[in-house]
Amino acid sequence: MIAAIAFYCFSAVAVGSAIMVISARNPVHSVLFLILTFFNAAGLFILIGAEFIAMILIVVYVGAVAVLFLFVVMMLDIGFAQMREGFLQYLPVGGLIGIILAVELILVGGSWSLSSKIQQIRSSPTPSLEKMTNTHAIGNVLYTEYIYLFQGAGLTLLVAMVGAIVLTLRTRRGVKKQKIAKQIARRPEDSVKLHNVQTGSGV
Amino acid sequence: MVIPNLTPAIAEIFLACSGMLLLVYGVFRGDSSVRSVSWLSVLSIVIAGVFLSFGDGRNLTFNGQFIADDYARFMKWLVVLGSSLAVVMSISYNKTEKIEKFEYPILILFSTLGMFMMVSANDLISLYIGLELQSLALYVVAAFRRDSLRSSEAGLKYFVLGALSSGMLLYGASMIYGFAGTTSFDGLAVTLRGGTGEPAVGLIVGLVFLITGLAFKVSAVPFHMWTPDVYEGAPTPVTAFFAVAPKIAAMALFVRLLIGPFGVLLSEWQQVIILISVASMVFGAVAALWQTNIKRLLAYSSIGHVGYALVGLAAGSEAGVRGVLIYMAIYLAMNVGTFCCVLAMRRSSGMVENIFDLAGLSRNQPVLAFAFAALMFSMAGIPPLAGFFGKFYIFIAAVDAGLVVLAILGVLSSVVSAFYYLRIIKIMFFDESAERFDRAITGEIRLILTVATCFVLFFFLRPGLIVENAESAARVLFVG
């Protein structure tokens, strides 16, 4: 009962704030609504017992991605009002595609039927919470059964990092930098000369 | 807990390790290491190709997420050729254009690794991971000349549209998972064959989204919009790379996905493939007629070529798949050769890209003009050059599969496309001489051009080499 109420609360707020993301006039408000959507999605995940994904959602999406969005929105002076000007112009085409997609999805939803062999091919069911937490369960398969995908994803991130550096790093020429090693390695006998200057004769 | 069998994936593991080592080497040596990193990358890609030849038979590993069979090996060899030649072609170009950086060959190497993973994907998730690894590196190399507005635009456009197509692909994959309950290709095949009566609507809708995502990657009409702009904006060796290796890998994935797990749904996806294939052939032929920029022209030409290759897929038969494999091999040789010629279009003022700059090439540089002409005749599909045989095997397969109308449309659009290929030859041989090009093409590019032209010219003497390999590669998709 309480779970059902919670489900409807979370999903209603999630849908409502998702609509607000695209309709809010102020882009900063959009980002804040996006954060609210993420929180509610996390709540839904907790309801189905996926607490690890719920926490990851908050840590990664709210903690990093949404804050990054906020930075971008605040630092770049993008005329969001201008960007919306084409909205009415594209509404007929966009609306048509949207309606077709919606009809397709309703058809798909209406014909929902599970495959008869689904039990046999389900290879890694979630273990019940009494046996282990699902963080533990994910860890158990992530580094064993899915090691290939895990490593592949790692390489993809490496490429993303290399790419970001290649495209943005600029080495400026003619900048004088402090070389600490050179400073420390400098000895008095290399740089200090003692002269005996005769009084009255100048250097 | 057992360590998975690593031997089938030895080439991939080698590529990943050498990529990371070269990255470290490059970072420590700085930009003075560009030349050595480039050649070492070529060497690693070639060694990975050698590792491939040790494998035989059909091997699954990593819980069935990775497959190594004759089909994968054939396609990976093509990818190896395309990628390593692209790196070789870039070395002197990047130096003269002052965009040499050691990251460039490394990004190509990682993208090659992504293509290997795509070709060997046996699961929807590994398909996606391979595709992303490949595309992410491609987005970066497209924008590699970061001081040029057009290159940055090309990279950004490619990135945005690529992200959109990945989104569609993922959406389709999630639908398929929802309705079939598995992401593994083998599991999907079992589920689909076991199903009685009509397949679920959700599966079909998911499959359509998956096809859309892949059609973006092979740049088939109507998902081709990015191709001309990206080809034009990216540096020329990058364009040469784009035209060859990623197309081959995406086509390999396309064929494996549709023929393998979705083979039983042939009647469902066949109409979609026929539609995008006809659209690509016709559009590729007609839109290129007005192009004067050689790189844009080759972009439209590659859209057309993808259309012809898809005819073989639409046939859905073993002969059709064999046709696709032969076509992609010949396409590789033709495009690599043509882009070598484009790289030779350099005057003291810089690179030129207009086709009228080729005027009178036959008098200034007769050998180059002859090679270019042979490649263009081959692209147009004139016998007895290689391009003719590529189309021949495809159309025969289509006719055998009862797709006579499709084959006729293919022949007609290939006649139309012959116009612009022949126009380039006419400009080279019969127009008033324009200012001559610098004779500065380097030895390695001359070598690649010679080999590609010889392949195109003399393919008809020994077609067996490729045809037999393609045949045994195509067969494995239809076993079991």
Side-chain angles (χ1 to χ4, degrees):
Chain A
M1 181 60 195
I2 293 176
I5 293 171
F7 170 79
Y8 284 112
C9 284
F10 279 134
S11 38
V13 178
V15 172
S17 51
I19 291 171
M20 286 307 286
V21 172
I22 53 169
S23 58
R25 287 212 153 267
N26 187 333
V28 178
H29 292 174
S30 288
V31 178
L32 292 176
F33 274 116
L34 189 65
I35 294 176
L36 185 60
T37 317
F38 285 144
F39 268 114
N40 282 289
L44 290 175
F45 274 121
I46 289 186
L47 282 183
I48 56 169
E51 81 275 352
F52 179 71
I53 297 178
M55 292 311 141
I56 286 292
L57 196 72
I58 289 177
V59 170
V60 175
Y61 282 88
V62 178
V65 178
V67 172
L68 209 66
F69 271 1
L70 209 55
F71 265 122
V72 172
V73 167
M74 283 161 54
M75 288 185 10
L76 299 182
D77 185 25
I78 302 172
F80 282 92
Q82 275 181 356
M83 280 170 70
R84 282 223 191 84
E85 267 176 9
F87 185 71
L88 275 182
Q89 192 186 337
Y90 295 114
L91 190 62
V93 182
L96 186 71
I97 295 176
I99 290 171
I100 294 175
L101 265 182
V103 170
E104 264 176 23
L105 286 183
I106 290 166
L107 277 179
V108 168
S111 73
W112 185 272
S113 66
L114 291 174
S115 154
S116 52
K117 301 205 169 174
I118 198 153
Q119 283 307 330
Q120 296 157 32
I121 52 186
R122 250 176 62 144
S123 47
S124 47
T126 333
S128 71
L129 265 179
E130 285 84 52
K131 271 190 222 144
M132 55 173 83
T133 64
N134 58 44
T135 315
H136 195 148
I138 290 176
N140 264 349
V141 289
L142 187 59
Y143 307 107
T144 53
E145 279 181 36
Y146 296 106
I147 183 74
Y148 175 63
L149 306 174
F150 183 67
Q151 294 293 332
L155 283 171
T156 313
L157 289 179
L158 175 69
V159 168
M161 206 163 73
V162 172
I165 293 173
V166 169
L167 293 180
T168 54
L169 181 70
R170 287 175 196 271
T171 42
R172 283 162 63 197
R173 288 175 207 292
V175 179
K176 292 201 169 151
K177 283 183 186 154
Q178 185 182 25
K179 288 182 182 140
I180 294 171
K182 217 173 167 187
Q183 283 183 342
I184 293 172
R186 206 166 137 102
R187 291 173 307 164
E189 44 271 33
D190 301 334
S191 43
V192 181
K193 254 188 209 170
L194 289 178
H195 282 282
N196 252 338
V197 183
Q198 293 273 314
T199 320
S201 67
V203 183
Chain B
M1 226 137 285
V2 282
I3 294 173
N5 180 12
L6 297 179
T7 31
I10 190 79
E12 282 77 6
I13 293 168
F14 174 78
L15 260 188
C17 294
S18 58
M20 287 185 274
L21 281 177
L22 284 175
L23 195 59
V24 174
Y25 172 74
V27 169
F28 277 107
R29 290 284 311 279
D31 276 341
S32 62
S33 61
V34 178
R35 215 179 156 74
S36 49
V37 172
S38 300
W39 284 109
L40 285 172
S41 306
V42 174
L43 188 70
S44 335
I45 297 176
V46 171
I47 291 178
V50 173
F51 274 128
L52 287 177
S53 56
F54 293 137
D56 67 325
R58 184 176 188 274
N59 296 298
L60 288 172
T61 184
F62 298 118
N63 278 302
Q65 289 155 354
F66 182 95
I67 184 169
D69 52 10
D70 281 346
Y71 176 78
R73 274 187 285 279
F74 184 87
M75 282 312 212
K76 282 183 194 172
W77 273 320
L78 295 187
V79 169
V80 162
L81 276 177
S83 305
S84 51
L85 293 181
V87 177
V88 172
M89 281 158 77
S90 72
I91 295 175
S92 60
Y93 176 91
N94 286 0
K95 201 179 171 85
T96 38
E97 298 288 315
K98 299 200 174 54
I99 49 170
E100 51 174 0
K101 282 209 166 137
F102 73 88
E103 287 97 342
Y104 177 83
I106 292 172
L107 283 171
I108 301 247
L109 190 144
F110 277 123
S111 138
T112 311
L113 173 63
M115 292 175 211
F116 273 31
M117 290 169 72
M118 280 162 74
V119 174
S120 276
N122 200 36
D123 187 290
L124 289 174
I125 310 177
S126 46
L127 174 162
Y128 177 70
I129 297 267
L131 197 71
E132 276 310 287
L133 179 56
Q134 179 237 195
S135 333
L136 212 55
L138 295 187
Y139 305 145
V140 179
V141 290
F144 206 73
R145 188 187 286 163
R146 59 185 192 188
D147 298 319
S148 142
L149 197 62
R150 280 197 322 182
S151 176
S152 310
E153 186 201 327
L156 195 63
K157 204 171 250 178
Y158 195 17
F159 174 70
V160 172
L161 289 176
L164 183 71
S165 76
S166 294
M168 293 205 202
L169 193 134
L170 274 182
Y171 185 58
S174 74
M175 290 262 229
I176 291 171
Y177 178 60
F179 276 85
T182 176
T183 56
S184 124
F185 286 2
D186 298 339
L188 280 172
V190 170
T191 321
L192 290 174
R193 262 183 226 135
T196 45
E198 285 279 295
V201 185
L203 267 178
I204 311 274
V205 173
L207 180 59
V208 169
F209 274 103
L210 214 56
I211 291 176
T212 311
L214 286 173
F216 254 110
K217 301 289 176 195
V218 295
S219 73
V221 178
F223 310 107
H224 63 281
M225 300 79 74
W226 56 274
T227 323
D229 295 336
V230 172
Y231 275 39
E232 192 189 357
T236 310
V238 174
T239 313
F241 179 57
F242 280 2
V244 179
K247 289 266 166 74
I248 292 173
M251 195 54 98
L253 187 56
F254 218 155
V255 172
R256 188 195 286 287
L257 185 75
L258 291 188
I259 300 289
F262 293 103
V264 280
L265 297 184
L266 174 69
S267 55
E268 307 285 343
W269 54 258
Q270 194 176 36
Q271 40 188 333
V272 182
I273 299 294
I274 288 177
L275 187 76
I276 58 176
S277 148
V278 170
S280 309
M281 288 189 296
V282 173
F283 184 82
V286 176
L289 295 178
W290 291 278
Q291 297 304 324
T292 53
N293 181 303
I294 184 87
K295 278 157 83 180
R296 280 189 95 82
L297 189 134
L298 286 171
Y300 286 107
S301 137
S302 88
I303 293 174
H305 283 301
V306 164
Y308 297 117
L310 286 176
V311 172
L313 176 58
S317 59
E318 198 177 315
V321 174
R322 186 191 67 170
V324 176
L325 299 185
I326 299 170
Y327 199 89
M328 288 329 271
I330 292 170
Y331 171 84
L332 168 90
M334 292 192 302
N335 263 288
V336 166
T338 311
F339 275 99
C340 284
C341 296
V342 176
L343 279 175
M345 291 170 64
R346 171 187 292 285
R347 298 223 173 91
S348 44
S349 53
M351 297 292 293
V352 287
E353 291 174 358
N354 197 299
I355 55 171
F356 296 108
D357 289 315
L358 287 164
L361 190 68
S362 61
R363 280 175 292 275
N364 296 335
Q365 279 160 293
V367 181
L368 182 65
F370 172 75
F372 208 163
L375 291 163
M376 286 295 118
F377 274 127
S378 170
M379 287 243 197
I382 290 173
L385 299 176
F388 165 74
F389 288 96
K391 291 198 172 100
F392 174 75
Y393 287 114
I394 292 265
F395 290 144
I396 288 291
V399 171
D400 283 346
L403 303 172
V404 183
V405 180
L406 183 63
I408 291 174
L409 281 172
V411 172
L412 286 180
S413 61
S414 114
V415 172
V416 175
S417 67
F419 170 79
Y420 59 82
Y421 294 126
L422 295 180
R423 185 166 71 147
I424 294 180
I425 297 173
K426 178 229 157 205
I427 290 171
M428 284 194 296
F429 282 84
F430 302 110
D431 279 13
E432 281 293 307
S433 283
E435 190 192 340
R436 58 194 301 143
F437 295 133
D438 288 355
R439 281 183 180 266
I441 48 172
T442 49
E444 60 259 20
I445 291 187
R446 198 171 300 143
L447 182 68
I448 297 173
L449 180 57
T450 316
V451 172
T453 314
C454 288
F455 174 84
V456 164
L457 283 175
F458 302 117
F459 175 78
F460 72 97
L461 293 179
R462 293 286 300 278
L465 269 177
I466 290 196
V467 174
E468 277 158 24
N469 275 317
E471 205 161 276
S472 62
R475 198 174 304 131
V476 297
L477 289 188
F478 288 89
V479 176

